[in-house]
Amino acid sequence: FRDVFSYDLITDRIRMMAESEHHELVESVAEAVAEAALAHPRAVSVMVRVEKLAVVAGSVGVEIVRRRA
């Protein structure tokens, strides 16, 4: 089981980032989440979608795809 990617680990990391770090841009949040996910040795690629709600009618967001180099 130690080789299996744990979604609990990445969601915990995202929660810690949200609570401890301030990001001006949703793009910064998406990049940080992608970097955290790709830090896991079994992760090869990641797609991250971040939306900032209640900014304007609807939402504003970004979606990125990153692969391990």
Side-chain angles (χ1 to χ4, degrees):
F1 282 108
R2 70 175 172 242
D3 292 334
V4 175
F5 185 86
S6 171
Y7 290 101
D8 290 339
L9 292 176
I10 191 63
T11 55
D12 287 346
R13 175 68 180 120
I14 293 167
R15 192 173 295 110
M16 288 186 333
M17 286 175 12
E19 292 172 355
S20 67
E21 302 171 26
H22 177 73
H23 297 277
E24 292 291 327
L25 302 171
V26 291
E27 292 86 354
S28 300
V29 175
E31 291 290 348
V33 170
E35 183 179 322
L38 288 173
H40 190 284
R42 305 257 323 167
V44 176
S45 67
V46 61
M47 188 278 295
V48 178
R49 179 182 299 143
V50 177
E51 292 185 8
K52 188 172 186 178
L53 306 176
V55 174
V56 294
S59 65
V60 176
V62 64
E63 181 176 297
I64 64 170
V65 176
R66 298 292 182 263
R67 293 190 60 80
R68 184 183 309 271

